[in-house]
């Protein structure tokens, strides 16, 4: 309210140029947009992301099943491929030959990577599979999906605020350039003999 009342009083000031008033109004509009539009965009983006991720969570939980696998034997570590980033992720895992029964009742035995402190033959561990029994990644949980949605909404709100502020600064820069151009033209009209110069004194 102080900003609005200050702008209202400033417009009657004899030193107030039209561009000064325009700059003040532009700042006020940008502030209102940041306070209203940015949270609204963030809420809409977060809500849309939440809906999409929760739908994905439900689909993954329908398509993936946790089974109880048994270690048959510990295998030699796999020779690293050309992906150096994958090596660090696999360093904490052990490669074992495992046996499990798929949700459809078929038996499977394949090498898998597991996070076990001391993998020994006969040891059991949980394994996520698809309906056919093929190993798959753990499904996304609802808490993680909500966290991602909140981060997406926050990012959208911050991006909107940054775009509004960037547009405001761009418009102010154009106003300042226009103001300087007007001053240059006024200076050129006044010429070099303004004031007391050229009077012969």
């Amino acid at each position: 309210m102080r900003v609005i009342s200050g702008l209202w009083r400033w417009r009657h000031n004899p030193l107030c140029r039209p561009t000064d008033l325009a700059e003040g109004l532009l700042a006020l509009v940008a502030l209102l947009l940041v306070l209203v539009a940015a949270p609204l965009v963030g809420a809409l983006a977060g809500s849309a992301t939440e809906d999409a991720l929760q739908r994905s969570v439900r689909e993954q939980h329908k398509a993936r099943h946790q089974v109880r696998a048994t270690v048959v034997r510990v295998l030699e570590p796999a020779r690293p491929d050309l992906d150096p980033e994958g090596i660090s992720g696999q360093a904490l895992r052990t490669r074992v030959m495992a046996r499990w029964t798929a949700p459809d009742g078929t038996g499977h035995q394949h090498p898998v990577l597991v996070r076990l402190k001391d993998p020994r033959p006969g040891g059991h561990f949980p394994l996520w599979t698809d309906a056919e029994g093929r190993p798959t990644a753990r499904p996304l949980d609802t808490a993680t999906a909500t966290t991602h949605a909140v981060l997406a909404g926050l990012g959208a709100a911050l991006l909107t605020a940054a775009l509004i502020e960037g547009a405001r600064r761009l418009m102010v820069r154009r106003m300042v350039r226009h103001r300087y151009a007007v001053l240059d033209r006024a200076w050129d009209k006044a010429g070099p003999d303004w004031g007391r110069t050229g009077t012969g004194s």
Side-chain angles (χ1 to χ4, degrees):
M1 290 305 292
R2 278 186 183 177
V3 174
I4 295 171
S5 64
L7 278 173
W8 191 255
R9 284 195 307 270
W10 173 245
R11 71 190 184 95
H12 295 299
N13 192 313
L15 297 176
C16 177
R17 298 169 293 189
T19 55
D20 293 330
L21 189 59
E23 257 184 69
L25 288 174
L26 181 62
L28 179 62
V29 169
L31 177 64
L32 291 175
L33 283 174
V34 166
L35 292 176
V36 175
L40 183 62
V41 169
L44 291 174
S47 177
T49 306
E50 172 82 6
D51 290 343
L53 287 177
Q54 292 300 340
R55 191 166 43 252
S56 178
V57 166
R58 288 191 294 273
E59 290 170 1
Q60 287 183 11
H61 277 276
K62 284 180 184 176
R64 300 177 189 183
H65 309 276
Q66 190 177 43
V67 298
R68 189 173 185 222
T70 305
V71 177
V72 177
R73 66 179 184 277
V74 179
L75 301 174
E76 292 292 322
R79 189 167 55 92
D81 295 331
L82 299 176
D83 183 15
E85 294 178 4
I87 297 172
S88 61
Q90 293 180 4
L92 301 174
R93 297 183 175 199
T94 307
R95 192 164 169 260
V96 299
M97 180 64 72
R99 181 177 61 245
W100 65 90
T101 303
D104 62 2
T106 58
H108 293 268
Q109 183 169 317
H110 295 287
V112 293
L113 289 171
V114 294
R115 280 197 175 101
L116 295 173
K117 291 182 181 178
D118 186 21
R120 294 183 180 179
H124 301 288
F125 62 93
L127 179 70
W128 286 96
T129 68
D130 59 13
E132 286 77 32
R134 292 185 295 259
T136 186
R138 180 190 183 101
L140 188 67
D141 58 43
T142 55
T144 304
T146 301
T147 302
H148 288 323
V150 168
L151 291 175
L154 185 61
L158 290 175
L159 181 61
T160 303
L163 287 174
I164 292 169
E165 176 60 16
R168 185 196 71 81
R169 287 180 183 233
L170 185 62
M171 292 175 78
V172 167
R173 182 179 290 178
R174 294 185 77 177
M175 285 181 186
V176 169
R177 283 184 181 172
H178 177 69
R179 185 184 303 155
Y180 286 156
V182 169
L183 285 173
D184 286 342
R185 285 196 297 271
W187 185 262
D188 288 341
K189 280 183 184 177
D193 293 333
W194 64 278
R196 296 179 60 182
T197 60
T199 59
S201 57

